[in-house]
Amino acid sequence: MSDWLPYVPALLLVVALLWIPGLVLQLLVRDLRPLFFLAAPAYSMAVIGTAGVVLELADLDFSLLSTGVFTLLVGALAGLVGLLFRRTRAAARQGTPADGDRADGDRADSSALFGLSPAAVYRTGVVAGLVLGAALLARRLLFVVLEPDRFAQRYDNIFHLNAVRYVVETASASSLTLGRMVDPEKAVAVYPAVWHGLAGLVWPLADQSPMVASNVVLLVVAALVWPASCVFLTRTLVGPSPVALAVAGVASAGFAVFPYAILEFGPLLPNLLGLSVAPVALAYLAALLGLDADTRAGKTDRAPAQLVFTGLCWLVVTGGALLAHPNVGTLLLVLLIPMVLVVWSRAVRRAVAARRPGPILLLVALLALAVYAWTYLWDSLGTDFIRFAHTTPAGAYGEALLYATNGRLDIPWFLVVLTVLGVGATVARRELRWLGVAQFLVVLLYVVAASAPKGPWREWAVGSWYQDSFRLAASLPILAVPLIALGATALAGLLRSRVETAVTPHRRTRRAQQLIAGGTAVLLVAVSVPLTQMRTMRDTLLATQARFGWDNPDGILTEDEQALLEQLPRWTDEDDVILVNPWNGGSLAYAVAGTEVTQYHIGGPKGGRIAEIIAGLPSEEPARACELAQSESIDYVLDFGRQYLEIDTPRARPYLPIDTLGERPETNLGLVAAVGEAELWEVTAC
């Protein structure tokens, strides 16, 4: 833990970056819905992601200063929009107080607990959920990451760590151009850049290390943003139940599938960022469609001006989530199906009851238009990337329903039971049935990715997720958390009624009922902490921790290789280029030392020139290879041996000639430096 103390300023900076821009917008536009501050990171991602694009187009550097100025400019625009809508909404409401001006006590539905007011109990539930969820997640993440400068030695991290340095060196964090790092000839090279932009902004406080910068962003996003988003969604859908909000925070820390499994698998860092605020986008969508708890309770203004305002807020937070990762958009399209059908069916019932054929025909036409638009968007977001099934349909359903996806043995039984109770609660409450249906659709998509055979149906259904069951598994907790919160409130009510029944009638004073209600609530929240943590994630945590260790038989780097990379500036000049094999970690020379390399991500040699250089330099007649090497400014070669991420992939085989240079004295290369078996060679024959 002491290893992290020097990076507390960096952690605080990430917290500020993820909350201050969002709060500025929310306060100026007066989006002051219940627990609005928990939605601030989604707004902030919209600001930071847009700043990256706009600053690039304006040929301005992406930095803390420019991002701060951009935030103020956007805030000024938000203030004007807020002023316009404030007047319009005030006129429409004719004096009705704004939701944000109501006292918390008006939103608390609990009885007084141990002498506290309902408002105080409500706040206690919110704070308990946030603090417990954040503490549990932070504890597990620190266990997994081990040290601030470690990194998950997995496929995607080669790109992500290099991209952090690329953002710093180019002073650009545009999602329209980040892909130029691996494809510099493209004018538009789209890749979601918010994660890398955040890491780039914290770079000066993170020892100028992409590993440290990425890890501090990871801690804040996974341990603070994710539980905050879950509590916000639960408040929006379930209401101001202190038990629900406290359990929602705890439950957010109880899943192996998120955030730990996608760290172990990918790590899928932009996915993690997008999913961490996906609950906020869903909450705003529910509020826009009138499916939130406050609308059900009659506390929300549904005037046209208010609906337009909510729609604009939803566009901003959804834009922030999409800039973090576009997969959030596809997920929202799935969840939109039952939500829109509920709203549409209500409107149809009203039109039928009024016996008005005109509105009925209009609603049918609108539904047909919505289906067409939905299908068009869905098709446009798909890909033809292929991953294959790993289990049977029955096995996939079991994995998804038990949150034990991709063959893992970690089953959070307590959360499974609460989910079942929550689904039962939605069946009993008609206005919440869409929630169970929406979760079933996510389960169904996971089943397709995990078990469906290769074919058009599989490609169409889950192509947006690269046909990858890991990405879909990470989406399961988003709706599971409010379902679990519903289940917890149902269980708390059941326990309270049983205890009250056991108390003799003459002792059922109001004070006694308050103590029983409060005691059962506190007991349920207290037991949820160990029951969501004990052995429910053990195997996944150990597997993820192993990815951050040095002794991985299929990792990217060894300690010796890392040490050699750190020494590269001693041996190479600023304009030198190193010939590398990305499959054994050579590409990370750029991330670690800032040295230019021939390839910045996993894949085969780009173009025939690099392949010809690799094959020709160690040969007896290197003339042609030398000519090509000089044209590419290649002066050095890294030999990190044959510890590959995927030794059997055909794309790695062309690199074999430069992975055993020390065993071949006729290589036309001279050894410059070595740490253990990691070697840096200089091209001498040219």
Side-chain angles (χ1 to χ4, degrees):
M1 184 65 184
S2 60
D3 294 338
W4 291 90
L5 291 179
Y7 304 110
V8 170
L11 289 164
L12 293 176
L13 177 58
V14 178
V15 173
L17 289 169
L18 286 171
W19 256 274
I20 291 177
L23 287 174
V24 168
L25 261 65
Q26 288 178 297
L27 293 173
L28 289 173
V29 84
R30 288 192 63 78
D31 177 24
L32 304 178
R33 65 193 66 241
L35 302 183
F36 70 93
F37 57 92
L38 300 182
Y43 277 93
S44 295
M45 289 181 199
V47 173
I48 294 170
T50 306
V53 173
V54 171
L55 291 170
E56 165 81 7
L57 294 174
D59 199 23
L60 296 173
D61 287 351
F62 178 78
S63 65
L64 277 174
L65 177 61
S66 61
T67 303
V69 172
F70 183 83
T71 299
L72 293 177
L73 293 175
V74 173
L77 178 61
L80 293 175
V81 173
L83 182 62
L84 171 65
F85 274 98
R86 200 178 314 161
R87 291 175 176 174
T88 306
R89 287 184 290 161
R93 288 175 171 178
Q94 296 180 344
T96 302
D99 291 339
D101 295 331
R102 296 176 183 173
D104 278 339
D106 295 334
R107 296 195 289 267
D109 62 357
S110 61
S111 302
L113 169 62
F114 306 137
L116 298 174
S117 68
V121 176
Y122 169 73
R123 295 189 189 100
T124 301
V126 173
V127 172
L130 294 173
V131 170
L132 289 172
L136 293 171
L137 282 159
R139 176 174 174 266
R140 296 299 197 190
L141 287 165
L142 290 173
F143 170 79
V144 163
V145 177
L146 296 171
E147 296 173 359
D149 58 353
R150 295 292 185 95
F151 66 100
Q153 302 220 20
R154 298 295 290 151
Y155 189 104
D156 293 73
N157 232 359
I158 293 176
F159 177 90
H160 296 315
L161 294 173
N162 279 336
V164 172
R165 183 177 284 276
Y166 182 81
V167 165
V168 173
E169 294 195 347
T170 62
S172 170
S174 172
S175 296
L176 298 180
T177 59
L178 182 61
R180 287 182 189 167
M181 183 184 74
V182 295
D183 210 338
E185 303 303 319
K186 281 191 174 181
V188 177
V190 176
Y191 195 90
V194 179
W195 177 281
H196 314 91
L198 283 167
L201 291 175
V202 79
W203 176 272
L205 299 179
D207 278 353
Q208 299 185 2
S209 162
M211 287 76 170
V212 176
S214 192
N215 282 335
V216 295
V217 173
L218 169 63
L219 279 177
V220 174
V221 170
L224 291 181
V225 176
W226 165 243
S229 298
C230 288
V231 173
F232 182 77
L233 176 62
T234 301
R235 169 60 186 86
T236 302
L237 298 183
V238 178
S241 164
V243 172
L245 298 176
V247 171
V250 174
S252 70
F255 297 95
V257 295
F258 187 84
Y260 312 109
I262 62 173
L263 288 178
E264 188 268 337
F265 170 68
L268 308 178
L269 300 178
N271 277 86
L272 189 150
L273 185 64
L275 290 175
S276 72
V277 292
V280 173
L282 179 60
Y284 275 82
L285 181 57
L288 177 62
L289 296 176
L291 300 177
D292 58 308
D294 284 348
T295 298
R296 297 197 303 268
K299 296 180 179 180
T300 301
D301 178 12
R302 301 294 294 170
Q306 178 63 31
L307 290 178
V308 173
F309 176 77
T310 303
L312 289 174
C313 294
W314 172 71
L315 286 174
V316 174
V317 298
T318 303
L322 290 174
L323 285 168
H325 200 283
N327 269 168
V328 176
T330 321
L331 179 63
L332 289 177
L333 281 176
V334 175
L335 304 181
L336 189 63
I337 295 172
M339 300 173 79
V340 167
L341 287 178
V342 167
V343 176
W344 183 82
S345 63
R346 287 177 182 173
V348 169
R349 285 197 300 269
R350 286 194 295 268
V352 170
R355 298 182 179 180
R356 300 172 61 188
I360 294 175
L361 292 175
L362 178 61
L363 286 168
V364 171
L366 287 174
L367 181 63
L369 181 62
V371 170
Y372 174 80
W374 188 96
T375 305
Y376 177 80
L377 287 171
W378 186 268
D379 290 341
S380 65
L381 292 171
T383 69
D384 57 1
F385 197 93
I386 298 175
R387 280 193 172 90
F388 299 102
H390 69 267
T391 187
T392 63
Y397 275 112
E399 288 181 350
L401 295 174
L402 296 176
Y403 308 120
T405 56
N406 300 102
R408 66 188 73 256
L409 301 176
D410 301 320
I411 301 176
W413 288 108
F414 184 65
L415 298 183
V416 171
V417 171
L418 289 182
T419 304
V420 172
L421 292 175
V423 172
T426 64
V427 172
R429 298 169 62 178
R430 183 173 181 173
E431 70 276 10
L432 286 174
R433 288 177 186 171
W434 70 268
L435 189 55
V437 175
Q439 179 69 347
F440 174 74
L441 291 178
V442 180
V443 169
L444 181 61
L445 287 173
Y446 173 80
V447 171
V448 173
S451 65
K454 177 183 177 182
W457 157 244
R458 175 188 176 89
E459 182 177 328
W460 181 83
V462 294
S464 177
W465 289 273
Y466 310 107
Q467 304 186 38
D468 176 21
S469 56
F470 279 90
R471 286 172 169 84
L472 281 160
S475 303
L476 290 170
I478 291 172
L479 283 179
V481 169
L483 284 171
I484 287 165
L486 279 170
T489 57
L491 181 58
L494 178 63
L495 291 174
R496 182 175 61 191
S497 64
R498 290 297 178 89
V499 174
E500 287 178 346
T501 301
V503 176
T504 56
H506 70 276
R507 292 183 178 177
R508 293 180 198 165
T509 63
R510 179 173 176 77
R511 177 65 173 168
Q513 289 178 327
Q514 291 175 353
L515 288 172
I516 291 171
T520 54
V522 171
L523 177 64
L524 180 60
V525 174
V527 301
S528 69
V529 174
L531 290 179
T532 58
Q533 301 294 308
M534 292 170 56
R535 299 191 64 82
T536 61
M537 294 176 285
R538 181 177 178 274
D539 291 341
T540 299
L541 289 171
L542 291 175
T544 308
Q545 185 191 62
R547 297 299 185 190
F548 283 81
W550 290 117
D551 53 353
N552 241 329
D554 58 348
I556 302 174
L557 295 179
T558 65
E559 281 188 274
D560 289 343
E561 291 165 353
Q562 172 83 0
L564 180 59
L565 293 183
E566 291 172 351
Q567 296 175 23
L568 284 179
R570 293 171 51 189
W571 311 106
T572 62
D573 294 329
E574 205 171 284
D575 57 348
D576 285 338
V577 178
I578 300 181
L579 180 65
V580 298
N581 176 358
W583 296 92
N584 63 13
S587 292
L588 286 175
Y590 178 66
V592 175
T595 308
E596 299 296 319
V597 294
T598 51
Q599 200 157 334
Y600 292 86
H601 191 32
I602 290 284
K606 293 190 73 67
R609 297 167 68 92
I610 298 299
E612 196 170 345
I613 294 170
I614 292 170
L617 277 182
S619 69
E620 295 182 2
E621 298 182 1
R624 171 62 177 166
C626 282
E627 179 183 336
L628 293 175
Q630 289 172 342
S631 69
E632 298 288 337
S633 302
I634 295 172
D635 295 301
Y636 295 92
V637 180
L638 273 177
D639 179 0
F640 280 179
R642 296 191 179 181
Q643 181 178 313
Y644 286 11
L645 279 172
E646 296 179 35
I647 186 64
D648 58 342
T649 178
R651 292 185 296 168
R653 291 171 192 159
Y655 296 99
L656 289 174
I658 62 171
D659 291 336
T660 54
L661 296 178
E663 301 173 10
R664 303 168 65 176
E666 74 284 359
T667 57
N668 307 304
L669 300 151
L671 183 64
V672 174
V675 179
E677 297 182 359
E679 299 170 340
L680 175 68
W681 294 75
E682 184 177 10
V683 179
T684 56
C686 303

